[in-house]
Amino acid sequence: MSNSDGSLDGLRDHADQPMRYLARHYLRGYGPELLLGGVSTVVSAALLSVPAFVLGIALDALFQQTRPFALPLVPNGWIPTTVAGQFWLTVGIVTTSFLLASVATYLRGWALNRIAQDVQHDVRTATYEEMQTQRLAFFDDHKTGEIMSVLNNDVNQLESFLSQDLQSGVRIVVTAVTIGAITLWLHWQLALVTLTMVPLLGYASYQFQQRIEPKYGDVRSSVGRLNARLENNIGGITVIKTFGREGYEADRVEEASDDYRSANWDAISTRIKFFPTLVLITAFGYGITFALGGWVFLFGEGSIFTLGLSAGTLVTFLLYSRRLMYPMQQFGQVLNNYQYAYAAAERIVGLLREPDRISDRETGVELGTVAGAVSYENVSFAYDGAEETTIDDVSLDVEPGETVGLVGPTGAGKTTLIKLLVRLYDADDGTVRLDGHDVRDLQVPSLRDHLGYVSQEPFLFGGTVRENVAYGQTDVTDDQLEAALRRAGAWEFVSELDDGVETVVGERGVKLSGGQRQRLAIARAVLEDPSILILDEATSHVDNETEVVVQRNVAEVVDDRTTFVIAHRLSTVRDADRIVVLDDGAVVETGTHEELLSADGLYADLWRVQVGEVESLPDGFVETSVTADD
Ligand code: ADP
């Protein structure tokens, strides 16, 4: 799924024809805007070709007086007979063309920018929604900064391509075709010379594209790594400060920034060599058009070309060659941005099409009421890339309403076992069942509706206490909120906060203590009123006094529902109906507190650690167990 440095480039594997994919899915329904954008692009390019053409005719007819004043597509009867009349007609045509072209340009800008804004919005929200359905393993493999960069930079890249470069590209093609046709009609021999510059410029652009492509890839990867590093360091600033590693981290940031600078410089130095080349080709085209055309004008037909050339036609040619080649210079830029947009689209589509996600909204069984029977049948699981299995052939039946304590040394697999029930991950072997249903057959949202999970590291979002506790439920009354906070033992401190439940807790809840965060997380689970409650070391950050309060309150909540309590403090699970002891991913003991103590196995050892009877531990226990936290 990802390559070795964990970058999102791995997503490209799933991104066949990304632009076509995005167009098919996100340009539908924009028919009228596309039509308006296309038509106004063609119309404005055509209108902007008119002045040079009419000026050439006026120059010959009015100033040189070498031919009569006649305009193609305009009946002779419409043309004034006086010189002054013909002069003002010329002025009128030139100004009207520019005026109408500016209206067309406005319409083009309106239509194409509308599409670009709507599409970037749709793509971003769709990408975000898809990201949310990814298996958790996806987030283990991809760094936050890199995922952010798809949702932000890549989507923006696509937007700027749609709103600017796409229309420049279309305009360039339309201009080249219109001017090509008119100049060929005016003087095909000179036109062939002038138009040769178009493929030359095209070839130069193509060469550039070939060279720059891999360099842009490096730029993207290095900016991704830089973002990831910054994100990490801002998140971990407490660790950096407390360990005094500011210098070390500053060096690492400097290194990442330097990589980015070199990659960027590499790309830029290729680019800045390219543009002068374009200017040279353009100048050459302009010069040769003047030289050949001027010579033929001065010395007549037969001197170089078989066809003669008037001064007016020469002026038209010179004006056109500017109009033709100047946008061709931009063609490189358009291709350039197309490269960026294509790479961005690859990553976006890669994310949209990332397979293996835990998502079965359409096909899964929807759960109605849930009794709360959970069973693990010979379940095994290993994290992606891990050498050892984390869960090793676990079988466990839990009755509805039963409270099960999960204990064992750190890293034994307690949390992982629960993640398989919640379907943050799926078992590799065996089956996890809820009320007899294989959890993989259930609709994920429907499954999660019945589960309340208070994790080891409760995550609070930047927002108020109310928003965090009622998280996503809009119809929670003040009374319900207060009741939930009381049950979780959180009411006392919340009511003392400046704005009570409306107090903003700060990003990730940094303004609260660990214990306070934990209690809010418990209140969140309580308010959800799930059939199955999971407390993952729910009281680990809580001081002893609070723990008693929480335990007493949670006991109330636990009563009628299936509950899993993952605990390091064995006192937390002392009263559980059953205690399951895990070691190295396998169930090694089950029983009540008393039964396990008398069995004198791992649980009894862990218990001795907690009550301070370290001397009576068997030899080797301390070495093999990284254990309980009190
Ligand atoms: P416990 O809850 O018993 O402390 P865990 O279930 O959290 O244990 O972890 C069990 C093992 O799985 C540990 O060795 C841990 O390092 C590993 N582990 C946990 N989460 C991940 C992950 N996202 N990716 C890879 N390995 C993991």
Side-chain angles (χ1 to χ4, degrees):
M1 183 167 61
S2 66
N3 58 18
S4 53
D5 66 359
S7 96
L8 281 169
D9 289 349
L11 289 177
R12 290 183 179 177
D13 301 347
H14 314 296
D16 189 29
Q17 305 280 5
M19 289 295 200
R20 207 179 292 169
Y21 178 90
L22 290 179
R24 209 169 46 231
H25 286 80
Y26 296 98
L27 281 180
R28 280 217 178 125
Y30 293 105
E33 284 91 345
L34 277 173
L35 189 69
L36 179 64
V39 168
S40 52
T41 304
V42 173
V43 167
S44 85
L47 283 168
L48 288 172
S49 308
V50 171
F53 183 76
V54 175
L55 284 175
I57 289 172
L59 199 87
D60 286 344
L62 303 178
F63 301 100
Q64 299 272 77
Q65 296 181 340
T66 50
R67 57 169 150 158
F69 194 99
L71 294 169
L73 307 176
V74 181
N76 275 340
W78 293 11
I79 293 179
T81 45
T82 63
V83 168
Q86 291 171 354
F87 176 76
W88 287 114
L89 178 66
T90 307
V91 173
I93 291 176
V94 170
T95 39
T96 312
S97 305
F98 279 128
L99 278 177
L100 291 180
S102 69
V103 173
T105 306
Y106 167 76
L107 292 176
R108 178 186 70 207
W110 182 86
L112 295 179
N113 280 296
R114 259 222 90 83
I115 297 173
Q117 294 311 315
D118 288 358
V119 167
Q120 63 112 359
H121 170 77
D122 294 347
V123 169
R124 194 191 314 275
T125 46
T127 317
Y128 175 75
E129 280 170 23
E130 287 305 323
M131 180 208 70
Q132 284 192 134
T133 69
Q134 295 293 337
R135 294 172 310 131
L136 218 57
F138 174 88
F139 298 93
D140 297 340
D141 288 347
H142 299 303
K143 297 181 190 109
T144 314
E146 286 168 350
I147 301 174
M148 293 267 294
S149 143
V150 174
L151 290 169
N152 259 328
N153 306 354
D154 286 343
V155 176
N156 293 348
Q157 199 74 56
L158 200 64
E159 184 261 340
S160 86
F161 174 74
L162 282 175
S163 63
Q164 291 160 29
D165 305 296
L166 187 60
Q167 55 169 312
S168 305
V170 173
R171 201 175 60 221
I172 290 167
V173 171
V174 172
T175 305
V177 170
T178 324
I179 291 182
I182 302 177
T183 50
L184 282 169
W185 178 73
L186 280 173
H187 193 291
W188 67 267
Q189 292 168 328
L190 182 58
L192 286 182
V193 176
T194 310
L195 294 176
T196 309
M197 299 309 129
V198 175
L200 265 182
L201 287 168
Y203 178 74
S205 300
Y206 175 76
Q207 280 303 323
F208 166 70
Q209 187 191 334
Q210 293 298 306
R211 266 179 228 165
I212 199 92
E213 196 189 290
K215 301 191 173 173
Y216 283 145
D218 294 345
V219 172
R220 311 288 305 186
S221 306
S222 60
V223 80
R225 283 194 297 271
L226 176 62
N227 281 348
R229 162 97 17 246
L230 291 174
E231 166 94 24
N232 236 312
N233 287 13
I234 295 167
I237 193 70
T238 319
V239 179
I240 297 176
K241 280 179 174 297
T242 49
F243 279 77
R245 293 291 190 276
E246 289 91 340
Y248 172 68
E249 289 300 344
D251 287 348
R252 295 214 290 179
V253 168
E254 192 186 326
E255 196 180 309
S257 177
D258 195 46
D259 280 352
Y260 174 54
R261 176 173 62 179
S262 323
N264 232 347
W265 178 248
D266 202 21
I268 288 169
S269 56
T270 307
R271 199 167 64 209
I272 56 183
K273 272 182 234 145
F274 170 72
F275 288 115
T277 314
L278 286 186
V279 173
L280 281 181
I281 298 175
T282 307
F284 179 72
Y286 200 63
I288 200 161
T289 302
F290 177 73
L292 296 179
W295 192 263
V296 174
F297 169 73
L298 291 174
F299 302 103
E301 60 196 62
S303 56
I304 299 176
F305 299 129
T306 54
L307 295 171
L309 188 75
S310 69
T313 307
L314 178 59
V315 167
T316 303
F317 258 84
L318 290 174
L319 290 174
Y320 274 166
S321 60
R322 275 200 73 76
R323 266 190 51 71
L324 191 60
M325 295 194 216
Y326 180 66
M328 277 314 280
Q329 287 184 13
Q330 289 180 322
F331 203 64
Q333 192 91 46
V334 171
L335 286 180
N336 197 341
N337 291 346
Y338 176 74
Q339 283 307 312
Y340 269 134
Y342 190 90
E346 270 185 332
R347 279 185 296 268
I348 293 169
V349 174
L351 190 61
L352 286 171
R353 290 208 204 146
E354 174 82 10
D356 279 354
R357 61 177 50 113
I358 290 186
S359 158
D360 34 26
R361 269 165 288 188
E362 292 87 21
T363 55
V365 176
E366 188 157 359
L367 277 179
T369 49
V370 165
V374 174
S375 62
Y376 289 82
E377 296 169 0
N378 305 101
V379 174
S380 295
F381 171 77
Y383 285 103
D384 280 355
E387 279 170 18
E388 290 179 18
T389 50
T390 301
I391 298 299
D392 190 8
D393 196 23
V394 167
S395 294
L396 178 68
D397 283 307
V398 180
E399 302 290 318
E402 199 181 0
T403 296
V404 174
L406 291 174
V407 301
T410 300
K414 307 179 288 289
T415 308
T416 308
L417 198 62
I418 291 303
K419 284 178 175 168
L420 297 176
L421 170 62
V422 184
R423 287 200 73 205
L424 294 175
Y425 297 87
D426 274 339
D428 298 329
D429 287 308
T431 314
V432 183
R433 294 187 188 277
L434 173 59
D435 280 5
H437 301 284
D438 183 336
V439 289
R440 284 171 294 207
D441 295 337
L442 300 173
Q443 290 188 13
V444 174
S446 143
L447 165 69
R448 303 232 173 105
D449 277 351
H450 295 283
L451 300 170
Y453 183 48
V454 180
S455 77
Q456 242 173 53
E457 294 294 334
F459 188 92
L460 300 183
F461 294 91
T464 62
V465 170
R466 176 197 293 280
E467 283 163 353
N468 269 291
V469 174
Y471 188 55
Q473 301 186 56
T474 46
D475 49 1
V476 175
T477 65
D478 287 350
D479 290 343
Q480 287 170 320
L481 191 69
E482 182 178 333
L485 287 166
R486 280 188 190 282
R487 276 176 137 178
W491 180 249
E492 200 171 310
F493 87 84
V494 168
S495 57
E496 279 170 11
L497 294 173
D498 287 349
D499 298 315
V501 293
E502 306 303 339
T503 308
V504 174
V505 296
E507 205 174 335
R508 300 190 183 183
V510 287
K511 292 186 187 165
L512 301 177
S513 74
Q516 290 171 331
R517 284 207 289 275
Q518 196 105 41
R519 280 177 275 172
L520 291 188
I522 294 170
R524 185 193 279 165
V526 165
L527 191 63
E528 242 194 296
D529 195 21
S531 312
I532 296 174
L533 183 67
I534 300 153
L535 304 171
D536 187 350
E537 303 201 56
T539 50
S540 63
H541 288 295
V542 175
D543 52 77
N544 288 331
E545 200 182 339
T546 314
E547 189 194 340
V548 175
V549 177
V550 173
Q551 263 188 44
R552 206 177 47 231
N553 291 308
V554 165
E556 252 179 70
V557 196
V558 160
D559 230 19
D560 53 339
R561 63 192 97 217
T562 311
T563 305
F564 290 90
V565 182
I566 303 176
H568 273 174
R569 294 179 195 227
L570 301 186
S571 56
T572 319
V573 291
R574 198 177 171 158
D575 300 329
D577 299 323
R578 187 153 43 129
I579 296 167
V580 174
V581 186
L582 281 176
D583 193 17
D584 261 350
V587 175
V588 290
E589 288 176 281
T590 49
T592 61
H593 176 72
E594 277 70 30
E595 286 166 359
L596 291 171
L597 280 188
S598 47
D600 200 20
L602 179 59
Y603 183 85
D605 289 342
L606 291 169
W607 181 256
R608 278 182 211 117
V609 174
Q610 301 219 338
V611 295
E613 295 170 16
V614 184
E615 293 74 23
S616 56
L617 282 170
D619 289 347
F621 177 86
V622 179
E623 288 91 77
T624 53
S625 300
V626 186
T627 187
D629 60 356
D630 301 49

